[in-house]
């Protein structure tokens, strides 16, 4: 694995997330054992979340091995088409917000995949769905610059659409917005997205790409296989 992004893991969950099983300490030890040079410790938040100061204090207490850089983050879903995030007020010390498409950003709030599928079946044109989604992601990047896109486009298969349907014009607008807003885009091992066309658009726009496992257990930290061909390509990116 020669792509430099694969030397880091920029999306690793701990027991501060209710769906993860490993501690911060276990994740840091796993990152070091995997030979990574960077790990971003990330946990899920909502507007009602109150534990972020406790999380930051726990990160500060970590015994970090030499040669490993530990970064912090919180993951929050896009709420609506305006680019609002489901996130509390954050204290100083969070390096980046991970902007996540856990649900579809509707005009008046998040929509679950089933609701979107039903609306498509009732006549909502897929092109209009994709326009609204990409516009919402761009709006979020502009409202919250300097952060990170988590598993971007992972919602599309859930609503019956495919990343390949986005097309060059939408991908170019999305990639340019990422570059202009200093938004880091992760290539996610768990969801295998964004895909090759999106990565090409990001590279053309000059946006920064990182790798992530979206690990919820320490044994997965830094363990890449599915995204290696995406990042390295037939001749290496």
């Amino acid at each position: 694995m020669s792509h430099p992004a694969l030397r880091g893991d920029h999306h690793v969950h701990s027991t501060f997330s209710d769906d993860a099983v490993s501690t911060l300490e276990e994740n840091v030890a796993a990152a070091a054992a995997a030979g990574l040079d960077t790990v971003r410790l990330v946990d899920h938040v909502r507007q009602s979340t109150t534990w972020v100061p406790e999380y930051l204090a726990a990160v500060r207490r970590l015994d970090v091995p030499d040669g490993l850089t530990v970064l912090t983050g919180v993951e929050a879903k896009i709420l609506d088409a305006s680019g609002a995030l489901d996130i509390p007020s954050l204290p100083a010390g969070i390096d980046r917000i991970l902007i996540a498409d856990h649900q579809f950003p509707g005009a008046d709030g998040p929509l679950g995949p089933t609701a979107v599928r039903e609306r498509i079946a009732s006549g909502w044109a897929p092109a209009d769905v994709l326009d609204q989604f990409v516009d919402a992601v761009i709006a979020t990047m502009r409202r919250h610059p300097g952060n990170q896109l988590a598993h971007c486009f992972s919602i599309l298969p859930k609503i019956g659409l495919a990343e390949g349907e986005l097309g060059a014009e939408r991908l170019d607008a999305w990639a340019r917005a990422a570059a202009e807003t200093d938004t880091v885009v992760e290539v996610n091992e768990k969801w295998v997205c964004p895909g090759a066309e999106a990565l090409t658009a990001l590279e053309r726009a000059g946006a920064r790409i990182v790798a992530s496992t979206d690990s919820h257990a320490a044994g997965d930290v830094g363990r890449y296989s599915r995204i290696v061909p995406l990042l390295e390509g037939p001749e290496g990116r």
Side-chain angles (χ1 to χ4, degrees):
M1 295 188 293
S2 59
H3 194 285
L6 296 167
R7 294 198 292 269
D9 191 341
H10 286 256
H11 187 163
V12 171
H13 289 284
S14 79
T15 48
F16 278 93
S17 293
D18 56 13
D19 57 350
V21 299
S22 298
T23 64
L24 296 172
E25 291 83 1
E26 289 168 336
N27 287 333
V28 166
L36 300 182
D37 57 27
T38 305
V39 62
R40 183 179 300 281
L41 304 173
V42 174
D43 283 298
H44 294 286
V45 295
R46 302 177 179 85
Q47 290 176 345
S48 59
T49 296
T50 60
W51 49 252
V52 176
E54 179 186 353
Y55 156 82
L56 286 171
V59 172
R60 286 193 292 268
R61 291 194 298 269
L62 290 170
D63 183 13
V64 178
D66 290 343
L68 180 67
T69 297
V70 172
L71 304 173
T72 60
V74 293
E75 183 177 4
K77 70 176 176 289
I78 306 171
L79 285 173
D80 57 34
S82 76
L85 284 175
D86 188 5
I87 196 164
S89 296
L90 295 176
I94 295 295
D95 298 320
R96 288 189 186 263
I97 300 164
L98 273 67
I99 297 165
D101 58 352
H102 290 150
Q103 293 185 292
F104 187 87
D108 301 313
L111 298 171
T114 300
V116 179
R117 283 175 176 266
E118 290 173 349
R119 294 188 185 195
I120 292 172
S122 298
W124 193 7
D128 293 336
V129 177
L130 293 172
D131 283 343
Q132 182 166 317
F133 173 75
V134 172
D135 288 349
V137 175
I138 290 172
T140 309
M141 290 191 281
R142 297 202 185 283
R143 285 184 65 165
H144 304 275
N147 289 298
Q148 179 172 321
L149 291 185
H151 51 68
C152 196
F153 308 135
S154 66
I155 189 70
L156 296 181
K158 300 174 188 176
I159 62 174
L161 301 176
E163 187 177 329
E165 297 176 69
L166 287 166
E169 185 175 347
R170 293 188 188 92
L171 286 176
D172 285 345
W174 166 81
R176 288 195 305 271
E180 291 165 1
T181 59
D182 183 34
T183 300
V184 174
V185 181
E186 68 175 48
V187 187
N188 187 287
E189 173 76 10
K190 180 178 179 180
W191 297 101
V192 197
C193 61
E197 290 184 23
L199 296 184
T200 298
L202 291 167
E203 291 167 346
R204 187 164 53 238
R208 183 182 170 206
I209 297 167
V210 297
S212 81
T213 59
D214 203 347
S215 163
H216 286 62
D220 295 329
V221 174
R223 306 294 182 182
Y224 297 114
S225 60
R226 303 171 77 198
I227 65 171
V228 172
L230 275 177
L231 285 170
E232 298 190 338
E235 298 177 357
R237 287 187 176 273

